[in-house]
Amino acid sequence: MRPVRLFAIGEDAVTVTQGHHGERLLTPGEVANLFRVDPKTVTRWATAGRIGSIRTPGGHRRFRESEVQHLLSQLTTEATEPVRH
């Protein structure tokens, strides 16, 4: 994979292969699939500061996988008992 130059608001440009320090970066669509929401909802969350994002030189948003997984784990809980019908 060739290096990609990414920009973050308020930070210097960073050249990386996958993401900051080799971390995988997710598209709004990938994040939306994890949370089961529309990609535009993910974009609104980023605009509101609820989730951090990085901008590519073309202006597209990308999300750090570790941050997305952390947020997802905070918002989900495992069932302790089976669901009864």
Side-chain angles (χ1 to χ4, degrees), residues 24-43 45-46 51-53 61-65 67-69 71-72:
R24 184 163 177 253
L25 298 175
L26 304 177
T27 65
E30 291 171 321
V31 176
N33 285 336
L34 291 171
F35 285 93
R36 297 183 177 157
V37 297
D38 190 89
K40 289 192 181 275
T41 300
V42 176
T43 300
W45 290 347
I51 187 170
S53 67
R61 289 187 191 270
R62 295 295 180 262
F63 301 88
R64 289 183 178 96
E65 186 176 33
E67 184 177 346
V68 171
Q69 291 297 338
L71 183 58
L72 189 61

